[in-house]
Every structure is written in structure tokens, then in C-alpha cells.
Amino acid sequence: MSDQIVSMLDVVGRFIEHQHSLGFRYGTESFMLKSFARYADRNAPGKPLTIQIALAWATEPKTKNRTYHAKRLDAVRSLARYLAMFDSQTELPPPGILGKSFSRVEP
């Protein structure tokens, strides 16, 4: 990224456009990433994506279960992988740090 402060919401918008251009369909992920961007812009404006801010957002609300939190973090991980190409200060949350992002119903 450049030295100019860019909002995370703008960055997320570009990421979603990029993903769409590659043929990915972002429904729930798009909603989650925009929610993360608003959170990051409020709590860490102009800062790079860090594991700390990603985990803080992913584990909200506290009333939700661990799978929900892991799913939110997975969405941010995809954004972090993209951002790391442009910003060396981007931190990539480790996979599985909040457990599995899916749960299979036993047959």
C-alpha cells in the first residue's frame, strides 16, 4: 500500500471486486468482511491488518459459538493473504486458531 491512509472499507471493496473478477461469489463473506472493515476503521484507523484486530473482531459477539467465530476469522484470513502481497506489515492469522470453521451434523 502507499503511505496514504486508506480506509479498510476501501481495501475490502477492492478485495471483493478482485475476487469477483476471478469468478468467486462472495455472499456471506462479503457481509463479514465489510463488517470487519468498519470495525477496523473504528478501532485501528490507518493501521495494517493484525492478528490482534482480526481476533478481536472475529470473537464478537461473545454470545455466538466458536464455529461462528472461526468462520469470521477465515473470512479475514482470505483478506489478509491478499493484503500481504501489498503491505509487508499485514499479519496472517494462523489457520485453526479458533478451531474449525464448520461443523458437520452427525448422520
Side-chain angles (χ1 to χ4, degrees), residues 50-77:
T50 63
I51 294 170
Q52 181 181 359
I53 194 76
L55 283 173
W57 173 79
T59 56
E60 292 290 328
K62 302 294 184 204
T63 58
K64 295 290 186 174
N65 66 34
R66 193 96 166 155
T67 301
Y68 177 78
H69 295 160
K71 193 172 297 205
R72 285 166 60 100
L73 188 60
D74 278 356
V76 176
R77 276 181 47 77

Side-chain angles (χ1 to χ4, degrees), residues 13-100:
R14 287 195 303 265
F15 171 69
I16 292 169
E17 285 177 15
H18 172 74
Q19 294 297 86
H20 282 209
S21 75
L22 296 175
F24 290 96
R25 295 184 183 193
Y26 265 42
T28 303
E29 294 90 350
S30 177
F31 175 79
M32 286 183 182
L33 288 173
K34 289 176 183 175
S35 172
F36 168 74
R38 288 187 295 272
Y39 180 88
D41 284 340
R42 263 191 325 271
N43 294 284
K47 305 278 188 194
L49 194 159
T50 63
I51 294 170
Q52 181 181 359
I53 194 76
L55 283 173
W57 173 79
T59 56
E60 292 290 328
K62 302 294 184 204
T63 58
K64 295 290 186 174
N65 66 34
R66 193 96 166 155
T67 301
Y68 177 78
H69 295 160
K71 193 172 297 205
R72 285 166 60 100
L73 188 60
D74 278 356
V76 176
R77 276 181 47 77
S78 66
L79 173 65
R81 281 192 301 270
Y82 171 79
L83 288 179
M85 293 188 298
F86 309 105
D87 184 352
S88 62
Q89 293 182 318
T90 298
E91 297 177 2
L92 184 60
I97 194 170
L98 294 179
K100 293 183 179 183

